[in-house]
Amino acid sequence: MNVNYIASLITVVVLFLIAYVGTQVVGLQVLFGIVIPYLALVVFLAGFIARVLNWARSPVPFRIPTTCGQQKSLPWIPSATVDNPSTTGGVIARMAVEILLFRSLFRNTKARLKGGERLSYEWEKWLWLAALIFHYAFFTVIVRHFRFFLEPVPAPLKWLQSVDGFLQIGLPGVLISGFALLAAVIFLFLRRVFIPQVRYISLASDYFPLFLIMGIAVSGIFMRYITKVDVVSVKALTMGLITFKPVLPETVGGLFYGHFFLVSVLLAYFPFSKLMHLGGIFMSPTRNLANTSREIRHINPWNYPVKVHTYEEYEDEFREKMVEAGLPVEKEPATGTSQEKE
Amino acid sequence: MNNTKTLYDGGKVITGLVIFVILVTLPFWYNHGKAAPEPQPQLTAKAKAEKACVRPKSIMKATHMQILNGWRNNVVRNARRIWETADGKRFNMSLSKTCLDCHSNKEKFCDTCHNYAAVAPYCWDCHIDKVKEAKE
């Protein structure tokens, strides 16, 4: 038992119950179906923009990319053009591989003492795999949900759905992404609980988003496969929201409002949380800069004009004294002038 | 928060943010405020005369696909064709012969909601609705 994840779990359950009881017992459909979703979207967008602009105001005068391969130097030394890029093209390739394939996570290794004495570093690809599945599944789920927000539904969305449901198991057909998302998020949670070092550094802000996404996935799966909702009414509700003519069909039940509220909470929480890595990955100076530290001289643009005292000036000032003391000087004192002051 | 006003790489950052905001708010642009009408599936005269479906309307609306899936499994795997409702009515478990007998207007009944919710059931891969059949 650990207060970080128990508290997060309880929070998510309570949030769900607030929406469920709020709509089914108290009758606050207007609040959970209209007011909170709008507010959540506004907070999400405004918070996201503010966060990114704040990052953009942080100066990065020098090149600080993490170097993951041979730097470009002499022409006959092969360099890692993607893992240690020196051109804009290389940076774009590096960012693409990082964002689409999680290149840096692929380097993940596990350090442990083998036989109690020898330190060994082993391949650890499960985190990379689970993270990749998680992100792609979540992305697919989000894109799929656009069928509730677009009318007519564009053909590519239908293609995506048919690919997602190509197993054709049961009716309504199993969509792989939903279950992949739930499985991956459970793996990411168990990883934090079962690996002692990871548990030690895990905070409530790590567990809370995991439980929130787990709650969203579970409630979504329940609605689609088990308790069922009237999908047409749900779409009438969502379409009402995005056309600013909100409607609240009576056939939409508490499970939907719970799901909807958890999504609203996720949106509103997003800009204030670690989830901002969605924007942050693009703003990472250790990834998005070309390694030209030696190729080009980067000068700090707001360098303070430093008052310097060069050796020439120093010698001019102390030449006589230096000569008297027998120290070597670069410029012999001019004969006849005992005092040379400027 | 940062208090400096300079926006480093402002052009790129603003471009990225504009793309992001457009993508997130895409539904608002795509539908440009037009409320798409909720589909109204139409009943044929026969369906209206019958008054009740195999289960109450609200249940049919949400779970008809599960009922059909159960029917398919019963017929194809268990060779059982008769389905009894709670009030003792008996039906032949058949999409073509039972469902589509009343709801012979697939375009104006099934398809209205399926298209609205972007559902493409593979029932129609084999089962052809009667109107179409008659035409061919």
Side-chain angles (χ1 to χ4, degrees):
Chain A
M1 294 288 261
N2 173 318
V3 68
N4 285 328
Y5 65 77
I6 293 299
S8 305
L9 176 62
I10 292 172
T11 309
V12 172
V13 171
V14 167
L15 284 173
F16 181 86
L17 289 177
I18 286 173
Y20 193 92
V21 173
T23 52
Q24 299 317 105
V25 180
V26 191
L28 293 170
Q29 272 87 343
V30 176
L31 181 66
F32 290 99
I34 300 170
V35 178
I36 288 175
Y38 276 137
L39 280 179
L41 187 65
V42 170
V43 170
F44 172 68
L45 284 176
F48 196 101
I49 292 169
R51 242 359 237 284
V52 170
L53 290 181
N54 183 37
W55 282 328
R57 287 195 194 99
S58 305
V60 186
F62 300 119
R63 295 299 165 117
I64 54 166
T66 43
T67 57
C68 304
Q70 175 63 49
Q71 183 180 2
K72 185 171 180 280
S73 53
L74 298 167
W76 47 271
I77 299 175
S79 66
T81 49
V82 173
D83 278 339
N84 194 346
S86 61
T87 57
T88 306
V91 169
I92 290 170
R94 183 187 206 192
M95 289 298 285
V97 175
E98 178 68 35
I99 290 163
L100 300 174
L101 300 171
F102 304 175
R103 175 70 181 98
S104 58
L105 206 53
F106 195 68
R107 286 199 187 84
N108 186 32
T109 51
K110 191 169 94 183
R112 63 175 183 142
L113 290 171
K114 221 173 190 175
E117 287 176 353
R118 270 180 46 227
L119 181 64
S120 73
Y121 295 93
E122 292 162 23
W123 259 48
E124 212 287 288
K125 295 289 174 254
W126 295 111
L127 174 61
W128 171 81
L129 187 69
L132 205 64
I133 292 173
F134 170 79
H135 283 85
Y136 273 101
F138 205 177
F139 180 71
T140 311
V141 167
I142 290 168
V143 172
R144 268 207 285 109
H145 274 74
F146 273 75
R147 78 183 167 116
F148 292 111
F149 298 96
L150 305 174
E151 179 61 34
V153 179
L157 265 185
K158 294 179 183 168
W159 302 337
L160 179 72
Q161 264 194 134
S162 60
V163 171
D164 202 3
F166 92 113
L167 291 179
Q168 296 199 334
I169 299 173
L171 270 176
V174 164
L175 295 173
I176 304 160
S177 57
F179 293 95
L181 171 66
L182 185 59
V185 79
I186 287 172
F187 174 87
L188 293 177
F189 165 67
L190 292 180
R191 178 186 154 266
R192 285 194 182 275
V193 175
F194 283 118
I195 303 176
Q197 296 93 324
V198 184
R199 186 172 59 227
Y200 184 71
I201 59 165
S202 293
L203 302 171
S205 63
D206 296 309
Y207 292 114
F208 179 65
L210 288 176
F211 282 123
L212 202 55
I213 293 164
M214 228 183 270
I216 290 168
V218 169
S219 55
I221 285 171
F222 257 78
M223 272 193 289
R224 182 175 167 87
Y225 304 101
I226 302 164
T227 58
K228 308 298 294 172
V229 284
D230 181 359
V231 177
V232 171
S233 302
V234 169
K235 183 157 180 178
L237 189 150
T238 53
M239 290 301 291
L241 283 178
I242 55 145
T243 51
F244 299 108
K245 294 174 187 95
V247 284
L248 293 165
E250 279 174 20
T251 46
V252 175
L255 185 58
F256 169 80
Y257 284 109
H259 181 75
F260 208 34
F261 184 57
L262 290 185
V263 174
S264 302
V265 169
L266 183 70
L267 277 180
Y269 174 66
F270 200 99
F272 310 98
S273 68
K274 61 186 269 194
L275 302 171
M276 266 310 288
H277 68 267
L278 170 62
I281 185 84
F282 293 95
M283 308 292 284
S284 306
T286 53
R287 302 278 154 200
N288 66 15
L289 291 173
N291 186 7
T292 53
S293 298
R294 296 181 184 179
E295 211 174 307
I296 302 164
R297 187 175 176 210
H298 297 275
I299 295 165
N300 191 351
W302 66 90
N303 261 348
Y304 183 76
V306 180
K307 215 175 162 188
V308 288
H309 193 224
T310 62
Y311 180 73
E312 285 73 27
E313 287 165 356
Y314 170 85
E315 207 183 270
D316 286 346
E317 197 178 336
F318 295 108
R319 187 163 292 114
E320 282 77 33
K321 289 190 173 90
M322 287 171 79
V323 172
E324 273 171 36
L327 291 171
V329 286
E330 292 193 344
K331 219 165 96 184
E332 288 302 320
T335 47
T337 45
S338 57
Q339 287 232 318
E340 203 176 309
K341 244 185 176 179
E342 277 145 45
Chain B
M1 289 297 272
N2 239 305
N3 290 321
T4 46
K5 279 184 184 147
T6 330
L7 212 58
Y8 298 94
D9 284 321
K12 287 179 202 164
V13 173
I14 301 281
T15 310
L17 279 177
V18 166
I19 292 172
F20 175 76
V21 171
I22 287 175
L23 280 179
V24 170
T25 55
L26 187 69
F28 294 99
W29 311 115
Y30 185 86
N31 302 282
H32 40 78
K34 266 204 318 254
E38 197 181 338
Q40 301 295 335
Q42 287 176 19
L43 293 175
T44 57
K46 192 170 181 189
K48 271 181 194 158
E50 201 70 39
K51 285 205 171 98
C53 199
V54 296
R55 298 288 303 273
K57 187 182 166 190
S58 61
I59 291 174
M60 288 309 291
K61 229 176 158 182
T63 66
H64 64 275
M65 72 300 283
Q66 290 179 324
I67 292 172
L68 282 170
N69 197 34
W71 282 17
R72 177 183 65 177
N73 292 345
N74 259 320
V75 172
V76 177
R77 298 180 190 162
N78 307 333
R80 279 174 43 211
R81 278 211 160 267
I82 302 302
W83 196 64
E84 217 178 289
T85 57
D87 54 344
K89 277 191 191 165
R90 296 175 143 226
F91 289 95
N92 180 10
M93 288 192 259
S94 165
L95 172 64
S96 303
K97 286 177 190 154
T98 305
C99 305
L100 296 176
D101 185 40
C102 285
H103 304 291
S104 52
N105 52 343
K106 173 174 169 280
E107 277 86 11
K108 285 185 179 155
F109 188 76
C110 311
D111 292 351
T112 51
C113 294
H114 287 166
N115 290 344
Y116 185 66
V119 182
Y122 53 89
C123 311
W124 317 116
D125 291 0
C126 302
H127 294 273
I128 302 161
D129 58 297
K130 287 202 168 168
V131 183
K132 229 179 179 178
E133 215 169 30
K135 272 182 201 162
E136 279 162 3

